[in-house]
Every structure is written in structure tokens, then in C-alpha cells.
Amino acid sequence: MKAKTISISNQKGGVGKTTTAVNLSAGLVLAGKRVLLIDMDPQANATINLLPQGYQTKFTIKDIFYGTELNKAICPSIMKGLDIVPSILGFAAIESELASKIGRELKLKKALNDQVKQQYDFIIIDTPPSLDMISINTLCAADEVIIPIHEFYALEGVSQLMKVISQVKEDLNPGLKISAILLTMYDERTNLAKEIKEKIQEIFGDALLNTTIPRNIKLAEAPSHNQTIFDYASDSTGAKAYMDLSNELIGRWG
Ligand SMILES: Nc1ncnc2c1ncn2[C@@H]1O[C@H](COP(=O)(O)OP(=O)(O)OP(=O)(O)O)[C@@H](O)[C@H]1O
Ligand SMILES: [Mg+2]
């Protein structure tokens, strides 16, 4: 079996991409899956959340773009069964350094060879809030995209993201699918939230997940404790929501 590769994408900042990448990965591990999280964001938020304190990385995602085998950059995380390819602040420099290199969009896809994919059930990729070369690399390497949508920003920027996804599909990665839309920081008690949900359902139909992620302060606190939500607050509404999300996606993926 080869891993399914999923990109968590939305160029809007602060919509819950990293929180979702980290806690969905952890939820999938709790459901018995083998998971690799790849941190493609130069902010390295997922890396800081998940790398064991004091862990010295030899290689990071940046090295992959200069020819290091991806296998060599895989590190253990704070959670057994969850591995991570860490990011690094200097990663953003590849945008200019590789600007004139042929095949630059396909570097991550090539790095994710069968040898890597056979070790995992899922590869989850956290992405930066941008639509530049790093994000294009992620879309080229992915089988599916999950788009977290923040209740407050709703569809801002989503049509631009959809345009880029269809360009990537047409030119570079024909198999790419939008697998799911996830509402984050969602308060179903408000009328505004209900309206947004209906609107998104009209546009995306079945891609909209049944599971929504509520606003839950524990989700915001867990990273600074170097924990996933399941270790930090296993009884929280956030933990329940991310476990529901993991199970719903496993159900969809069969
Ligand atoms: N469901 C939630 N409830 C409360 N706070 C949340 C929730 N999800 C995320 N947050 C907090 O909101 C902020 C933004 O979330 P996060 O970092 O996951 O977004 P992001 O899309 O990865 O941002 P960026 O685009 O900068 O990478 C963080 O401080 C995070 O802890
Ligand atoms: Mg992030």
C-alpha cells in the first residue's frame, strides 16, 4: 500500500491549516494509521509544535529542494507513529534561489518516491499562506487537497485558490482532487455561521465535511506546550472534533 498524500491548503493566513495538519495527523495515528507530516511552511509552526524539545535536525525540507533524499529528513515527533519532515525559517529563500531552475514545481513530487510512500498510510502537508512556488510544489505532490475555511473569512480568496488548483490539474498533476472543505473556528449557534455553511454547501456540495471544528482555546494552547490536542486536553471539544474529522476522512477514503 502506498500513502495517500493530502495538502492542507488555503492562501489566507490564520484559517487553521497548521492546527488541522497537526491534529488531523495525530487523530489518524490514534485511529491506527502510519502518518508523515511534511512542514512546507517557512514559519515552521507545525515543526515547533511536533518536534521533541531539543531534537537536533540534520536535514530539513529545504535540503530536499537541493537534492537530499527525503528519507534522510524524516524525524520522529512527540507522538509515536507520527513522523515529521521539519521546516526551517530559511526555506522561503528557495523562491528566489530556484526561480530559474527547470522542473522546480515538481521537486517535492519527485522526492516523495515509492520508498517513502510505502512506509505510511497518509502523508499530510502543511502549507504557507501563499500561492507561490512552495504551494505549487505541494499541489503537484498531492493526491487530494483539504481546504480549511475560517467561518469569519469564509470564501475570501477561495476562488483564486480554485483557479490555481485547476491550473495545476491541467498542466502538472491531472489526478489532483479537492477532497474536502473543512469549516474551522465554527460556531453553529449563530445565523451567520449557518448562512455561510449553506452557501459553501451550494458551491462545493458533498466536498463539505459533516465535521466542523469549533472555536476551542485548548487548540490554541496545545502548541506552546509541545503537545497535540489529544495529549494536552483529550476531553476538549477540539480533541473530539479532530477525532471526528479523522474518522470521517478515513470513512470517505475507504
Ligand atoms: N478551532 C480553533 N479554536 C481556537 N483557536 C484556533 C482554532 N484553530 C486555530 N486556532 C488558532 O488560530 C491561530 C491560527 O491558526 P493556524 O496557525 O492553525 O492557522 P494557519 O492557517 O496555519 O495560519 P498561517 O496561514 O499563518 O500558517 C493560531 O493561533 C491557532 O492556535
Ligand atoms: Mg500555518
Side-chain angles (χ1 to χ4, degrees), residues 18 41 43 45 126:
T18 301
D41 185 353
Q43 298 177 94
N45 293 328
D126 189 24

mmCIF file of all heavy atoms in Angstrom, residues 18 41 43 45 126, ligand 2:
data_model
loop_
_atom_site.group_PDB
_atom_site.id
_atom_site.type_symbol
_atom_site.label_atom_id
_atom_site.label_comp_id
_atom_site.label_asym_id
_atom_site.label_seq_id
_atom_site.Cartn_x
_atom_site.Cartn_y
_atom_site.Cartn_z
ATOM 1 N N THR A 18 -2.441 24.842 10.022
ATOM 2 C CA THR A 18 -1.458 24.120 10.835
ATOM 3 C C THR A 18 -2.148 23.337 11.956
ATOM 4 O O THR A 18 -1.816 22.168 12.197
ATOM 5 C CB THR A 18 -0.432 25.111 11.428
ATOM 6 O OG1 THR A 18 0.205 25.779 10.340
ATOM 7 C CG2 THR A 18 0.610 24.395 12.261
ATOM 8 N N ASP A 41 5.851 25.006 5.379
ATOM 9 C CA ASP A 41 5.692 26.430 5.704
ATOM 10 C C ASP A 41 6.958 26.976 6.353
ATOM 11 O O ASP A 41 7.369 26.475 7.406
ATOM 12 C CB ASP A 41 4.497 26.586 6.655
ATOM 13 C CG ASP A 41 4.181 28.053 6.940
ATOM 14 O OD1 ASP A 41 4.960 28.930 6.506
ATOM 15 O OD2 ASP A 41 3.157 28.306 7.596
ATOM 16 N N GLN A 43 7.301 29.357 8.163
ATOM 17 C CA GLN A 43 7.034 29.770 9.552
ATOM 18 C C GLN A 43 7.321 28.634 10.531
ATOM 19 O O GLN A 43 7.473 28.860 11.733
ATOM 20 C CB GLN A 43 5.573 30.185 9.731
ATOM 21 C CG GLN A 43 5.148 31.376 8.900
ATOM 22 C CD GLN A 43 3.653 31.680 9.098
ATOM 23 O OE1 GLN A 43 3.282 32.500 9.922
ATOM 24 N NE2 GLN A 43 2.798 30.999 8.351
ATOM 25 N N ASN A 45 5.552 26.397 11.996
ATOM 26 C CA ASN A 45 4.695 26.238 13.182
ATOM 27 C C ASN A 45 4.430 24.773 13.527
ATOM 28 O O ASN A 45 4.446 24.396 14.703
ATOM 29 C CB ASN A 45 3.344 26.947 12.963
ATOM 30 C CG ASN A 45 3.503 28.450 12.889
ATOM 31 O OD1 ASN A 45 4.384 29.016 13.529
ATOM 32 N ND2 ASN A 45 2.692 29.113 12.094
ATOM 33 N N ASP A 126 1.475 20.476 5.510
ATOM 34 C CA ASP A 126 1.066 21.812 5.959
ATOM 35 C C ASP A 126 1.699 22.837 5.020
ATOM 36 O O ASP A 126 2.852 22.694 4.619
ATOM 37 C CB ASP A 126 1.541 22.061 7.399
ATOM 38 C CG ASP A 126 0.939 23.339 7.975
ATOM 39 O OD1 ASP A 126 -0.129 23.770 7.495
ATOM 40 O OD2 ASP A 126 1.539 23.907 8.912
HETATM 41 MG MG MG B 2 0.127 27.568 9.466
#
